[in-house]
Amino acid sequence: KNEVEQSPQNLTAQEGEFITINCSYSVGISALHWLQQHPGGGIVSLFMLSSGKKKHGRLIATINIQEKHSSLHITASHPRDSAVYICAVGAHSNYQLIWGAGTKLIIKP
Amino acid sequence: DGGITQSPKYLFRKEGQNVTLSCEQNLNHDAMYWYRQDPGQGLRLIYYSQIVNDFQKGDIAEGYSVSREKKESFPLTVTSAQKNPTAFYLCASSTSTGMSYGYTFGSGTRLTVV
């Protein structure tokens, strides 16, 4: 079992829908990262969380340390949100990142 | 503003040639990392460095080499010994290796070997 699990693996939705992507982890962490990767493009860091909730525009990230779970929400989704969303955690045991496999999101107009 | 610069964004090389990917940071971060991503897969650690003039192999170091002569720079060389070098390469840096740290990510280099 991977130490960082993302769900769903693939998600297709209509423009305007509320999107939720989940990340569960099994190790003690000091921080969790959400990143975005557009097809054929580079990686953009969206959020770094160690507790609570952060919001940036239409993106909201939450983390529950006790349940070892984080969610990334997109409100009023748009086709330009189509990308792979990646969760990565920094473990307590060492400083290295453990990466999720990513969630491929497609927003149809 | 501080950050990580990876260059170039896209790189094409002929098979059998060595190629060096650049990664520069102006964040005064101690640790730097190189990751590789293959289509449809998660990122995997190639090499990392915690201090200048020191680096360690990650999970997939074969066919790669690095140097850390300056704190700001951590170049990755993809050698001809790397059997399948076409991939997306991501550089990252972090503050101290203690319990509280933060990561910064480059935008990546997409290498295609023809």
Side-chain angles (χ1 to χ4, degrees), chain B residues 10-11 37 49 60 63-64 70 86 104 108 110-111:
Chain B
Y10 298 96
L11 188 56
Q37 184 188 45
S49 167
I60 54 165
Y64 299 98
K70 299 185 299 181
T86 294
T104 301
R110 198 164 293 274
L111 173 65

Side-chain angles (χ1 to χ4, degrees), chain A residues 9 30-31 33 35 37-45 48 84 86 88-92 94-97 99-102, chain B residues 9-10 31 33 35 37 40-43 45 48 50 56 88 90 94 96-103 105-108 110:
Chain A
Q9 190 173 7
S30 57
H33 301 261
L35 304 103
Q37 185 177 33
H38 281 102
I43 279 185
V44 174
S45 180
M48 184 178 76
V84 175
I86 303 170
V89 302
H92 272 316
N94 61 58
Y95 55 91
Q96 294 183 30
L97 288 176
W99 297 83
Chain B
K9 187 173 182 179
Y10 298 96
Y33 315 82
Y35 296 92
Q37 184 188 45
Q41 297 187 31
L43 286 104
L45 182 64
Y48 65 98
Q50 295 171 253
Q56 285 78 41
F88 176 80
L90 180 70
S94 71
S96 71
T97 58
M99 296 291 281
S100 177
Y101 63 92
Y103 274 82
F105 302 95
S107 57
R110 198 164 293 274

Side-chain angles (χ1 to χ4, degrees), chain A residues 2 38 73:
Chain A
N2 292 334
H38 281 102
H73 305 286

